[in-house]
Amino acid sequence: MTNPGWGGGASEGIPPQPRCVRHPDRPTALSCNRCGRPACPDCLREAAVGYQCVDCVAAGQRDVRPVRGVAGNTVSPTRAVPVVTYTLMGLNVLAFLATFAQSRSIMNNQVGSSIFANWALNPGLVASGDWFRLIGSGFLHFGILHLAVNMYALYILGRDTEIVMGRSRYIGIYLVSLLGGSASVMAFQPVFSSLTALSWTAGASGAIFGIMGAQAVLLLRLRRSPIPIISVIAINVIISISLPGISFWGHAGGLVAGAATAAAFLYVPQWLGAGENRVKAVRIGWIAFGAVTVVTIGVIVLRVVQLRDQLGIS
């Protein structure tokens, strides 16, 4: 006597052994603690109590609502690694190594480097058509000390901001802050540092100041004291004003742009009545981000038009 649904060859009076629901050719004495169906060891996963089959584990994962951050971003262990911050640090280091290879100097890497000559920010050269300088200058540094200070600040400030805000919003804050610093330099810094010498601006500090501004807004949104980060900002602003050779306008522009971008993500959806509607809040946040970006680019374009007229560039 045989039964196709149970183990063959069983003796009369001995209950046949169940088969795994996913592998009918495998007899098993195990079962899922959730659904009770028989399952082989390959189809079971350890749970809080006992073991569950892979189907019940997948169903449970679908039922769990994802954890959302204050900006509406998904929070998960895989996103707890600040990949964007490390990538940005790597790009800055690579740019420095490239200028060092050309200049053969670790302290004066701007001398004799074609990359530095083609990427460093000067309002007049941007007005002449070198638009890439607006972004490229943010990855250049005057010597190893300049690089080390900025990368340490990016490491300390960027990691937490990226994890809390989410990677895509963090990238937006960084890039708009970088552009904001360049826009401020375009608007307020002279084309020439002397009668004959062009003025040059370079460094990631504009974007880093933007991260500081974003952190201050973020702490306010979380209803935590922003005094520590505001103190850091104040100290760095004083240094920017006091020491020669530091671009105050680049720092100030990045700070304002970063704070405005963070506010676009964190406050504008509330102001426009998104409430608990996460989809609406995310959409409004990105639209507000686009508005801040357009304003930043608009400042650059207006200044370029003005400089072309002043310098007689056709």
Side-chain angles (χ1 to χ4, degrees):
M1 178 178 177
T2 61
N3 186 329
W6 302 92
S11 301
E12 292 279 346
I14 300 177
Q17 192 173 31
R19 302 288 183 122
C20 174
V21 293
R22 294 172 62 87
H23 302 96
D25 59 326
R26 300 181 185 180
T28 180
L30 305 174
S31 62
C32 173
N33 279 40
R34 182 173 179 178
C35 66
R37 298 183 302 171
C40 67
D42 291 339
C43 294
L44 292 173
R45 301 291 183 268
E46 187 173 2
V49 178
Y51 290 83
Q52 294 182 7
C53 66
V54 291
D55 295 327
C56 288
V57 170
Q61 290 175 343
R62 287 193 298 269
D63 294 339
V64 175
R65 296 180 62 183
V67 179
R68 300 288 179 183
V70 66
N73 52 296
T74 302
V75 178
S76 67
T78 58
R79 295 176 180 269
V81 179
V83 174
V84 177
T85 297
Y86 295 153
T87 301
L88 290 170
M89 293 175 64
L91 292 174
N92 278 275
V93 172
L94 285 175
F96 178 82
L97 292 176
T99 57
F100 166 69
Q102 292 179 337
S103 65
R104 301 296 181 182
S105 174
I106 199 169
M107 298 302 295
N108 296 306
N109 57 305
Q110 72 275 18
V111 178
S113 170
S114 60
I115 295 176
F116 219 105
N118 293 327
W119 290 13
L121 181 59
N122 174 267
L125 293 178
V126 173
S128 300
D130 291 351
W131 295 94
F132 182 73
R133 295 177 184 272
L134 296 167
I135 296 292
S137 59
F139 294 90
L140 298 178
H141 291 85
F142 293 98
I144 188 66
L145 294 180
H146 187 203
L147 173 72
V149 169
N150 277 349
M151 291 305 97
Y152 178 73
L154 179 58
Y155 175 74
I156 296 298
L157 298 168
R159 294 175 303 165
D160 293 342
T161 307
E162 177 181 348
I163 292 171
V164 176
M165 293 294 297
R167 291 172 184 168
S168 58
R169 293 170 182 80
Y170 176 70
I171 292 173
I173 290 171
Y174 190 92
L175 291 179
V176 174
S177 299
L178 197 161
L179 274 178
S182 296
S184 183
V185 169
M186 291 288 297
F188 300 109
Q189 192 159 303
V191 175
F192 296 94
S193 59
S194 65
L195 292 176
T196 58
L198 293 173
S199 63
W200 300 103
T201 303
S205 49
I208 292 169
F209 264 77
I211 295 175
M212 293 183 193
Q215 277 204 2
V217 173
L218 179 59
L219 289 171
L220 288 171
R221 179 67 176 81
L222 294 172
R223 298 181 180 180
R224 297 174 61 183
S225 174
I227 292 177
I229 190 65
I230 290 176
S231 300
V232 173
I233 292 172
I235 292 171
N236 280 275
V237 168
I238 293 172
I239 293 174
S240 300
I241 296 173
S242 303
L243 297 181
I246 296 179
S247 176
F248 166 76
W249 293 116
H251 293 174
L255 176 65
V256 172
T261 306
F265 286 129
L266 300 173
Y267 278 104
V268 173
Q270 284 187 327
W271 296 338
L272 297 183
E276 298 299 323
N277 189 329
R278 189 189 68 83
V279 175
K280 183 179 179 181
V282 170
R283 185 182 298 117
I284 292 174
W286 281 107
I287 292 173
F289 163 78
V292 174
T293 305
V294 168
V295 170
T296 305
I297 295 175
V299 171
I300 295 171
V301 172
L302 289 175
R303 181 56 175 164
V304 165
V305 172
Q306 184 183 36
L307 283 173
R308 284 183 174 179
D309 182 61
Q310 291 177 355
L311 300 175
I313 301 172
S314 57

